[in-house]
Amino acid sequence: MKVVGLITEYNPFHNGHYHHIKEARKLTGADYCIVVMSGNYVQRGAPALMDKYSRTKMALSCGADLVLELPVCFASASAEYFSMGAVSILEGIGVVDSLCFGSECGNIQTLKEASEILLAEPPLFKKVLNDALKTGKTFPQARMEALKVYLKGADDDLFSSPNNILGMEYIKALTSQNSSIEPITIPRISSGYHKDTLNQGNGTIISSATAIRGAVRNGSMLTDLINHVPKEIFHILSASYKKTWPIFEEDFSLLLQYKLMNETKSSLSRYLDVTPDLANRIKSLMEPGLSFAEAAKLMKSKQWTLTRINRSLLHILLNITEDSMNHYKVNGYSQYARILGIKKNSSPLLRTVAKKSRLPLITKVGGMEHKLPKSAESMLKEEFFSTALYNEVVYHKFGVMPKDEYKQGIILQD
């Protein structure tokens, strides 16, 4: 049995993701494809456009055999924690042979060289990094300068393109966890990650998830997306459009205002990614009536990127603390493997995972939180809370209450 693993958000699922699954299976000769997917919140520090169960259905309809949930503490974290959390699941279930990811450069050897430098942090790397930070550059900018010292002649996109950065972090995570999983990359095609307008043309079109979210936000007709998403999933989009999605960060604005009203500069510092300086900035600049996005833009500075601010605000809202992340880190990152969905004909895969997994395998959550080790119980409770909050936002926006974590079973797809 050959198994390929993918780490994803599918926010939302589009033709580029479909291409990724097909190419991953083709390149690796895999019998099965396991997806580790972010739940209701994503790495840029925002709620997912649509809920995790709808996105699970999309993945299973387009070539995934098993979808596992990336716990919210990692799904909403930095590239390093995002990668370590996801890789720890793929490694922990004991059946994955390769990890296939998209990248702008498409060169696995270059990404491996970069990841080795990031992992070793040689003296010159640290010096250039610290010198750049002292000039007021953000950490990603400073790290890019430090990498350039070692990878002379490499294209600037290698150091700044988001999928390249994630690719380096995936390889770094595999190495640090002594994993035998082989990293494989495929070139990202057609549309840049941050391109915010839909590509034009006839037939199958690959546009970025950023562009698709932007089109939805700007009021495009759902039919405008037909050529940008696989036909297998368009009915899923249509069935729940303006019933349970789209959800944006602005829908959490009042909740954020309430949360920040109950926090002090001191208490804010306990949340993941919130330093004392950033806590001061948040309390000083937050004003009544600001939306989530307006607040984040106001707080952005030379020192803190917009994504960093978004993640920090989301961690405050979801009660994700620095202490809890440190605890998970000490205990091997992800504390369980939770199944969101599976293809009905992939039962041999599930049996093998159940036999080989070193992580507790969660198929239903009823009473499960009391059967898990303490750290796993804490992580699952974070998931319950974050999902309940997401569902409340869906209800108050559309008048439809999604099933809670206890009533929503595993998605079984033909």
Side-chain angles (χ1 to χ4, degrees):
M1 179 185 292
K2 291 191 69 174
V3 180
V4 63
L6 311 181
I7 300 171
T8 69
E9 291 187 325
Y10 296 155
N11 186 38
F13 197 101
H14 57 67
N15 288 330
H17 298 134
Y18 195 21
H19 170 78
H20 179 204
I21 291 177
K22 288 191 296 183
E23 284 298 298
R25 298 186 79 122
K26 178 181 173 183
L27 280 173
T28 63
D31 302 298
Y32 294 104
C33 174
I34 295 179
V35 167
V36 174
M37 187 187 78
S38 300
N40 288 330
Y41 302 86
V42 294
Q43 206 249 334
R44 63 189 180 89
L49 188 69
M50 62 194 311
D51 72 274
K52 58 191 176 186
Y53 294 105
S54 296
R55 287 162 31 243
T56 295
K57 291 177 185 176
M58 294 177 181
L60 294 172
S61 297
C62 292
D65 294 291
L66 176 65
V67 179
L68 303 174
E69 181 173 40
L70 180 62
V72 64
C73 57
F74 302 117
S76 63
S78 66
E80 180 178 13
Y81 283 145
F82 179 91
S83 302
M84 290 295 286
V87 166
S88 67
I89 294 175
L90 293 175
E91 174 65 18
I93 59 176
V95 300
V96 177
D97 301 292
S98 56
L99 166 59
C100 184
F101 55 87
S103 65
E104 286 81 5
C105 75
N107 188 321
I108 196 65
Q109 193 54 44
T110 301
L111 295 175
K112 282 182 177 180
E113 290 173 15
S115 70
E116 287 171 3
I117 296 164
L118 293 176
L119 200 57
E121 292 191 338
L124 181 58
F125 175 90
K126 287 183 178 179
K127 182 181 185 307
V128 176
L129 176 70
N130 290 329
D131 288 347
L133 288 172
K134 288 175 184 176
T135 67
K137 291 185 176 177
T138 64
F139 182 79
Q141 291 171 334
R143 194 169 75 160
M144 178 174 68
E145 288 200 8
L147 272 174
K148 281 183 177 180
V149 173
Y150 286 88
L151 298 177
K152 292 181 174 66
D155 192 292
D156 278 356
D157 284 347
L158 173 67
F159 309 106
S160 58
S161 299
N163 289 286
N164 285 344
I165 292 170
L166 273 175
M168 296 174 198
E169 291 294 346
Y170 293 151
I171 297 169
K172 193 174 112 182
L174 289 170
T175 303
S176 64
Q177 296 183 37
N178 296 313
S179 176
S180 62
I181 296 173
E182 179 188 4
I184 296 171
T185 192
I186 59 173
R188 185 180 175 87
I189 61 172
S190 185
S191 188
Y193 181 89
H194 289 303
K195 186 179 179 185
D196 57 5
T197 56
L198 295 174
N199 287 336
Q200 301 301 311
N202 298 314
T204 300
I205 304 170
I206 295 181
S207 291
S208 69
T210 302
I212 293 173
R213 290 194 301 271
V216 173
R217 184 190 289 273
N218 294 330
S220 292
M221 299 287 289
L222 199 58
T223 50
D224 293 340
L225 303 180
I226 285 179
N227 292 335
H228 301 266
V229 300
K231 64 180 185 298
E232 290 87 349
I233 65 112
F234 188 76
H235 72 281
I236 302 173
L237 291 171
S238 303
S240 55
Y241 182 54
K242 293 189 176 178
K243 294 178 182 175
T244 60
W245 78 282
I247 297 295
F248 298 106
E249 51 264 51
E250 284 79 9
D251 298 316
F252 288 73
S253 298
L254 188 57
L255 290 169
L256 179 64
Q257 286 278 2
Y258 173 78
K259 178 68 173 175
L260 291 177
M261 287 171 63
N262 284 279
E263 299 283 350
T264 65
K265 291 177 182 178
S266 176
S267 67
L268 283 176
S269 299
R270 66 195 177 95
Y271 295 108
L272 184 63
D273 283 333
V274 184
T275 64
D277 286 346
L278 181 53
N280 289 338
R281 186 171 180 82
I282 290 171
K283 288 298 285 186
S284 299
L285 295 180
M286 192 65 185
E287 298 175 359
L290 285 178
S291 71
F292 195 115
E294 289 168 342
K297 287 177 183 176
L298 186 63
M299 295 165 192
K300 175 183 177 294
S301 69
K302 284 179 64 177
Q303 184 178 358
W304 293 296
T305 65
L306 183 60
T307 301
R308 168 69 181 272
I309 298 294
N310 279 328
R311 282 200 294 261
S312 299
L313 294 178
L314 188 61
H315 293 154
I316 293 168
L317 192 57
L318 300 182
N319 297 321
I320 298 172
T321 67
E322 190 80 37
D323 283 349
S324 64
M325 181 60 85
N326 287 336
H327 180 70
Y328 302 146
K329 184 177 177 180
V330 168
N331 285 279
Y333 293 91
S334 291
Q335 302 296 294
Y336 56 76
R338 183 187 176 193
I339 298 174
L340 292 179
I342 187 169
K343 293 286 283 288
K344 289 181 180 178
N345 62 2
S346 298
S347 54
L349 172 64
L350 183 57
R351 287 195 295 270
T352 305
V353 171
K355 181 179 179 181
K356 293 189 175 184
S357 180
R358 298 187 296 276
L359 295 172
L361 189 63
I362 299 178
T363 55
K364 59 180 180 179
V365 298
M368 191 68 190
E369 68 270 30
H370 304 302
K371 301 174 184 176
L372 295 169
K374 199 68 178 175
S375 57
E377 179 184 340
S378 172
M379 186 174 285
L380 190 59
K381 284 181 176 178
E382 285 179 350
E383 203 64 52
F384 287 175
F385 175 77
S386 68
T387 297
L389 198 66
Y390 188 94
N391 288 352
E392 283 291 338
V393 168
V394 170
Y395 177 74
H396 284 280
K397 185 171 185 178
F398 298 112
V400 175
M401 177 59 79
K403 291 180 181 178
D404 65 28
E405 294 281 43
Y406 294 96
K407 295 177 182 175
Q408 174 65 65
I410 291 174
I411 302 297
L412 295 173
Q413 195 91 352
D414 291 327

